[in-house]
Amino acid sequence: MEIDKQQHSKDSVFFRDGVRRIDFVLSYVDDKDGERKQERRKVYEANLMNVGLELETEDKSESEDGKTYFVKIHAPWEVLATYADVLKIKVPFKVNDIPDNSEMPMNWMSTPFRLPEHIMHPEADYFTAPFNKSKSDFFLIDDKDTFFPPSTRNRIVYYILSRCSYFRDECGDKDKKGIKRLLNNSTYTAAFPLHDCRYWKKSRDANCESERYNLHKHWARFFCFFKEQPLNLIRKYYGEKIGIYFAWLGFYTEMLLFAAIVGTICFIYGVLTYDENQWSKEICSEEVGGNIVMCPLCDRKCGYWKLNSTCNSSWQSHLFDNVGTVFFAIFMGIWVTLFLEFWKRRQARLEYEWDLVDFEEEQQQLQLRPEYETKCTNRKLNRITQETEWVLNRTITDIMGKLLLCWATVTLWISLIIACIIGVIAYRLAVYAAFASIMKDNPTTNLQVVGPYITPQLATSVTASCINFVIIMILNLMYERVAVWITDMEIPKTHLEYENKLTVKMFLFQFVNYYSSCFYVAFFKGKFVGYPGNYVYMFGSKLRNEECDPGGCLIELTTQLVIVMTGKQVWGNIQEALVPWLMNWWGSRKARNHPESLYSRWEQDHDLQGFGQLGLFYEYLEMVIQFGFITLFVASFPLAPLMALINNIIEVRVDAWKLTTQFRRPVAAKAHSIGAWEEILNGMAVLSVVTNAFIVAFTSDMIPRLVYMYAYQPYGEMNMKGYINNSLSVFNITAIPFDNKPDDGESPSWFNSSITSCRYRDYRYPSGHDREYSHTMQFWHILAAKLAFIIIMEHVAFLVKFFVAWMIPDVPSDVRARVKRERYLVQEYLHNYEVEKLKIQLSQNLPGDCNCTPMIYPSIPKHEVLSGCL
């Protein structure tokens, strides 16, 4: 029956009767293949009603576009109670009586950062236990309509929707099952729970919580960036899985503040010691750098050049390549350990507060993926539960074949990345010669401000980094589809297993994709060059391996890191915020012109973007890649944590804004941790100690300078005078092969035949020496010092790391006490409940009247539980 649109406000989360709450909405349209889809919908909706769900349909004439039907679903108490029992959902049975002694000294200082108490703690604190339908009077049930919050209600309904058949013979065709398949074959166009109100104003209905409005007002606006996050409200509205993500992101951002402060201090130290940089003074002086003629940096197209032409880059390099770099690299090794250990404690506290302590892997089995269940053909006895369960019939050949195909695909794509990186390296080698030839007459000096800073090295590094960034983003878009496809093909058993498998595949690819260019600049560029007359070429080609600037390769690593990291963060925020906003603006352009009462709550949400099952996965991936940038290569760029901090302050609010305003309400899901990402972060923490030790030793010039100052300073003084001259070897120009010599006209006008030798960056004996062009003893001393530094730094960092991890317990003592208290109370109260129940049962039976065993549990009729058929 059609309802007059003018008589009923459509901006409501209730059925037409205003009593039954809408827990889920399905939408569909009529199309050419209408009969088959109509039959599927008819059977599916009939099966939903058989399970006990209540449905109400909005005709297409009631919708804005005139062609979309909306099916509203309500779960009555009987259904909710049945499936809360099946899913072991924890509900309150007693008010928490443990006093909260978490007050901190100087608490008043945090007042500006606090949110109102009703926002931070929207619910009272209770002791909880898994719901048992047969003992419903054991729990604190004041109102059955509001006992289960909307997030729990939509989770239960989605569990039913995912397992309900759309085929007449319920168990005959197991493949014809679940809302996901119906969405894939376009039987339904969307399936989503409703937001409780508009985000910019409260609902007019007093029975509606308006939690979305509170989240937007106190959390999703950028001007709240200095406020704490209402994690309990986020968890209540969106579920524990999304709550855990924002708790982790907020904690990570807070910890970044300390790293950003120390990194900024190290950078300021480099600025303050700018004028004390003796080696840069020598490079820039006419007496030293102006008289040193350097050998060509490429064959034929590069001419001889004077060392003082790299004056600016040497000064820039000092900002990051100084003693503070070593201190900061060691500090970050300790910081990352503190971050991970303190997060474990924070996570343990959230597990208790959010009733996730006993949410272990066996409970994940209750959340089997419907895609797995439909493929099961055999039943097997579970040795733990002693119950038979559906299992997938897989042979060893089948398993090995799929594993081989999956990892061969991953290896192929990683090889593709490496091939692209080699292509970028070839670009750097080829283009450097072109830039050197173009810039030999310094045409860039005509540019104001930036002109003097543009060198062939800088131009090559910046353009190559930009090209590399574009390649990274293109490969990402392509590989995402491949990773999802091969993970689907493996048919993981649970949602947790699915996400973990996808996480490993995606992270391996992203690791190589994002970090390979930084690894090349840090550990390979300038390390395998050779010397004039005996240069090393790339794979036997005519492209000579790159050399480092006399100021060092560290500044190039900094450039690479800044471009890739900043580019990724800017592009990520644009993609996350701007794209959904534009799509929503375009999709709802017509409906915005109508009165609110005619623009229904389900149509408003239908016009938003779907969050998707892997929505959080990409958020985690983005942050973990950023974590790699600020830990693996932080020795080259102390300001990286500051950049990450600024990005994350924006990221928290952007994620909150888009989730609250631009996306449909996600189905609530449980998670007791950040999953496989925790192990990945631990692995990167260990790797970061090694990479930073190697960066300081081999990419930075710190060790060669210290060796010179302590062992090779000719006047025995503790300074760097003469370091530049000492660090450059001499080569006789006449000994340079014809193929390596510059073409006519490539060398500058000041070069003439009176110049008989050129310098290059290495420690080798000069021509005429008994060991001509072989490494000097100083080279071996420096190498020994580098290896010694790596060993010492790694051992010190790992020793401190493991000591800190041992000192800080993973679970706070007060949380451990509360968990024990709650378990004790559950047992005590259940025992007392059973005793009282038994007394009542026995008192109702007179002596001699009972000839059967007393029934403690009353017989409660149950609706069909879908998992029983599975």
Side-chain angles (χ1 to χ4, degrees), residues 408-422 475 509 512:
T409 307
V410 174
T411 306
L412 175 66
W413 277 86
I414 290 176
S415 302
L416 180 61
I417 298 172
I418 295 171
C420 291
I421 295 301
I422 292 172
L475 289 176
F509 177 83
V512 179

Side-chain angles (χ1 to χ4, degrees), residues 555-568:
I555 191 66
E556 286 199 43
L557 178 58
T558 304
T559 304
Q560 180 77 25
L561 190 65
V562 169
I563 289 175
V564 176
M565 182 179 173
T566 307
K568 182 186 184 304

Side-chain angles (χ1 to χ4, degrees), residues 346-363:
R346 180 81 176 100
Q347 186 172 265
R349 190 174 296 279
L350 286 175
E351 282 184 27
Y352 168 73
E353 292 176 357
W354 292 355
D355 301 321
L356 300 169
V357 173
D358 298 320
F359 185 74
E360 301 296 341
E361 305 306 320
E362 60 267 17
Q363 290 204 1

Side-chain angles (χ1 to χ4, degrees), residues 30-214:
D30 286 329
D31 54 21
K32 296 178 181 177
D33 192 22
E35 292 185 5
R36 292 180 59 191
K37 292 178 181 178
Q38 188 174 0
E39 178 64 21
R40 290 185 202 134
R41 286 192 292 267
K42 183 179 178 181
V43 174
Y44 186 67
E45 291 170 17
N47 287 336
L48 290 178
M49 288 188 284
N50 289 338
V51 173
L53 295 179
E54 297 173 4
L55 276 57
E56 186 176 82
T57 303
E58 291 285 333
D59 191 75
K60 64 180 180 180
S61 61
E62 300 289 315
S63 65
E64 176 59 37
D65 59 8
K67 58 183 179 181
T68 305
Y69 293 85
F70 291 95
V71 180
K72 299 174 288 185
I73 301 174
H74 168 75
W77 167 257
E78 190 70 19
V79 174
L80 293 173
T82 300
Y83 284 92
D85 195 342
V86 170
L87 295 172
K88 305 299 180 188
I89 292 172
K90 285 191 172 185
V91 294
F93 69 91
K94 182 183 186 300
V95 176
N96 191 335
D97 60 356
I98 300 178
D100 186 5
N101 300 319
S102 60
E103 289 293 324
M104 297 180 64
M106 308 291 285
N107 200 31
W108 58 271
M109 294 182 65
S110 63
T111 303
F113 309 104
R114 293 288 182 86
L115 290 174
E117 183 66 20
H118 74 281
I119 299 298
M120 287 303 297
H121 301 286
E123 295 178 304
D125 193 10
Y126 295 99
F127 289 123
T128 59
F131 185 78
N132 189 325
K133 186 179 178 183
S134 63
K135 302 182 179 71
S136 58
D137 55 334
F138 171 72
F139 302 99
L140 299 177
I141 304 176
D142 296 327
D143 184 353
K144 290 183 177 181
D145 290 335
T146 59
F147 181 66
F148 293 108
S151 58
T152 303
R153 296 174 69 100
N154 72 56
R155 178 183 163 214
I156 290 172
V157 172
Y158 186 73
Y159 181 86
I160 298 171
L161 294 176
S162 299
R163 286 155 177 79
C164 191
S165 168
Y166 57 88
F167 196 73
R168 290 192 180 279
D169 184 7
E170 175 71 16
C171 294
D173 191 341
K174 293 172 62 63
D175 218 27
K176 308 281 188 181
K177 190 168 293 186
I179 188 63
K180 191 171 181 180
R181 290 183 63 87
L182 290 171
L183 291 171
N184 289 339
N185 60 31
S186 300
T187 301
Y188 290 101
T189 55
F192 52 92
L194 289 180
H195 283 295
D196 60 3
C197 66
R198 293 171 178 249
Y199 65 84
W200 63 86
K201 67 177 184 180
K202 290 186 176 181
S203 173
R204 295 176 181 176
D205 193 332
N207 295 322
C208 192
E209 302 85 355
S210 297
E211 290 173 347
R212 184 190 189 192
Y213 166 79
N214 288 330

Side-chain angles (χ1 to χ4, degrees), residues 294-296 298-300 302 304 531-535 537 544 731-742 751 756-760 773:
M294 302 296 292
C295 298
C298 64
D299 295 341
R300 310 301 291 270
C302 298
Y304 298 95
Y531 59 91
N534 189 27
Y535 285 118
Y537 291 82
R544 206 168 90 191
F731 194 85
N732 192 342
I733 289 178
T734 58
I736 296 178
F738 176 78
D739 289 339
N740 299 141
K741 286 184 176 180
F751 183 80
T756 59
S757 62
C758 64
R759 311 294 290 273
Y760 60 99
Y773 302 134

Side-chain angles (χ1 to χ4, degrees), residues 252-268 328 331-332 335 630 634 637-646 649:
Y252 171 45
T253 305
E254 291 169 14
M255 290 294 290
L256 272 177
L257 177 63
F258 302 103
I261 291 171
V262 177
T264 305
I265 291 172
C266 290
F267 178 75
I268 292 172
F328 190 56
F331 168 80
M332 286 302 292
W335 174 87
I630 68 161
V634 75
F637 189 44
L639 293 180
L642 178 62
M643 290 176 57
L645 175 65
I646 295 170
I649 290 172

